Amino acid sequence: MKVAQISKPGGEFEIVEREVPKPGVRQVRIKVQACGICHSDALTKDGAWQGIQYPRVPGHEIAGVIDEVGADVSAWRLGQRVGVGWHGGHDGTCRECRRGDFRNCENVKIPGISYDGGYQQYMVAPVEALAAIPESLSAVEAAPLLCAGITTYNALRHSGAMPGDLIAVEGVGGLGHLGIQFANKFGYKVVAIGRGADNATLAKKLGASVYIDSTAANASEELQKLGGAQVILATAPSSKAMSELINGLGPNGKLIVIGAAFDPIEVAPVQLILGNRSVQGWAAGTPADSEDTLNFSELSGVRPMIETYPLEKAAEGYARMIGGHARFRVVLTM
Ligand SMILES: [Zn+2]
Ligand SMILES: [Zn+2]
């Protein structure tokens, strides 16, 4: 089978031939049909995740079909369409797992980091990482929903916002274009915040009723004119842009951070105290959350906007994503 691997931190993609792997106990083998390229794949490419072993096959937005079932697997069958997202397995025995909080498992596994991910024709995954893909979603549509989709969907549905509330989505990109759609389908009044006037038409088509160009107006002031945001979903990985938005929150408003940046967000304690505002992070979710995301997307018509590349052109697809040129998610097809 063909594999796109990274053989050292900072190394280039190599297309190599490997033996098709065999699934072990409580594992299945997936014939991969599509795998999204996510910004977090840089952790594998650049070796930024501690303890990562090379060579490693990146990819945690995987959609395919179960092609072989290992021993001791009861709930999944041959030929079933499945996806694997960021949550690639948990031990079931640590303190957090025993509390049912599998997302925060001490030994959580991530496909493409802890074991080989989806930039290959076949992969092996543990059963606790699997999500069923509904019939009418194609593999290329499902793949980005397993990381970018679940992250925006899950962050919004747990935000405490109610239908009719003012919700701002900062960034009209890989995460943001999905966040706007979910927010609209959840019944919120959606404000999209982007850089430049170019994204206004698209943001409105995706379900925003207001578009704020943050290069032309003070986005916080504009949000306050609308009554202040109940939730701001910060998707663009810019700590500066996030800091500037905190004053756009209304009473009890919450800035939910999902754009992974490394520099600090600046906030004065009084900004949070006055109005009971908060800043919260959110990471993807469990495979059950993935299934909810896929089923809701099927039901409501939320779809990622994608560009596809064949597996052999993984390097080209990755460069397009990391350069910020993708409109909006790059998906590899096998
Ligand atoms: Zn991701
Ligand atoms: Zn655990």
Side-chain angles (χ1 to χ4, degrees):
M1 67 165 183
K2 267 198 190 64
V3 165
Q5 69 177 26
I6 298 291
S7 59
K8 61 173 191 289
E12 295 303 320
F13 283 98
E14 301 162 358
I15 306 294
V16 298
E17 290 282 336
R18 283 196 199 172
E19 290 290 311
V20 175
K22 294 288 282 182
V25 176
R26 290 182 50 75
Q27 293 180 334
V28 299
R29 184 171 69 211
I30 299 168
K31 185 179 194 301
V32 181
Q33 294 170 317
C35 183
I37 297 183
C38 179
H39 198 271
S40 302
D41 294 342
L43 296 168
T44 306
K45 174 91 166 51
D46 301 339
W49 190 278
Q50 218 167 9
I52 193 165
Q53 307 269 307
Y54 291 90
R56 185 54 83 221
V57 178
H60 59 263
E61 291 187 349
I62 301 137
V65 175
I66 295 180
D67 162 78
E68 193 175 330
V69 175
D72 212 6
V73 175
S74 54
W76 302 91
R77 57 175 206 283
L78 205 66
Q80 192 170 0
R81 299 180 68 223
V82 289
V84 181
W86 178 260
H87 187 103
H90 49 266
D91 59 13
T93 55
C94 76
R95 191 182 66 166
E96 301 316 318
C97 282
R98 288 172 59 221
R99 288 177 168 162
D101 185 8
F102 304 118
R103 289 171 66 208
N104 289 316
C105 173
E106 286 170 20
N107 297 301
V108 73
K109 289 191 166 63
I110 301 153
I113 293 177
S114 319
Y115 56 86
D116 286 333
Y119 289 27
Q120 55 181 341
Q121 289 178 308
Y122 294 88
M123 73 170 282
V124 165
V127 287
E128 73 269 14
L130 302 178
I133 299 178
E135 211 44 56
S136 74
L137 280 185
S138 69
V140 289
E141 288 171 330
L145 293 172
L146 293 158
C147 181
I150 182 184
T151 302
T152 49
Y153 171 84
N154 227 13
L156 286 170
R157 74 167 171 167
H158 288 105
S159 69
M162 301 292 276
D165 281 350
L166 188 78
I167 304 300
V169 177
E170 178 252 347
V172 185
L175 289 164
H177 88 287
L178 288 164
I180 293 167
Q181 293 181 67
F182 285 125
N184 170 267
K185 298 295 182 187
F186 289 175
Y188 307 144
K189 181 178 164 86
V190 186
V191 179
I193 302 169
R195 295 181 59 78
D198 291 357
N199 285 323
T201 311
L202 176 67
K204 288 189 176 168
K205 206 174 127 207
L206 293 171
S209 52
V210 179
Y211 178 77
I212 299 172
D213 171 4
S214 63
T215 63
N218 181 317
S220 281
E221 284 173 20
E222 294 303 312
L223 288 174
Q224 286 303 341
K225 282 181 201 164
L226 298 165
Q230 184 63 39
V231 167
I232 300 174
L233 186 67
T235 75
S238 162
S239 307
K240 186 171 175 287
M242 293 179 195
S243 306
E244 287 169 3
L245 281 175
I246 292 168
N247 283 339
L249 291 169
N252 302 305
K254 194 189 287 185
L255 178 79
I256 303 183
V257 176
I258 59 172
F262 288 90
D263 45 335
I265 293 172
E266 262 186 53
V267 56
V270 289
Q271 281 179 288
L272 301 179
I273 294 167
L274 298 174
N276 281 352
R277 294 145 152 179
S278 58
V279 177
Q280 186 195 342
W282 192 273
T286 64
D289 293 320
S290 286
E291 268 184 33
D292 290 347
T293 308
L294 294 168
N295 290 333
F296 183 87
S297 300
E298 182 190 44
L299 182 76
S300 64
V302 171
R303 295 291 185 276
M305 292 170 67
I306 56 173
E307 298 176 359
T308 60
Y309 285 75
L311 176 64
E312 295 76 11
K313 293 194 171 168
E316 213 175 296
Y318 180 86
R320 181 137 175 98
M321 179 283 301
I322 207 79
H325 303 301
R327 306 268 300 167
F328 284 99
R329 300 295 287 189
V330 177
V331 180
L332 296 175
T333 55
M334 315 305 155

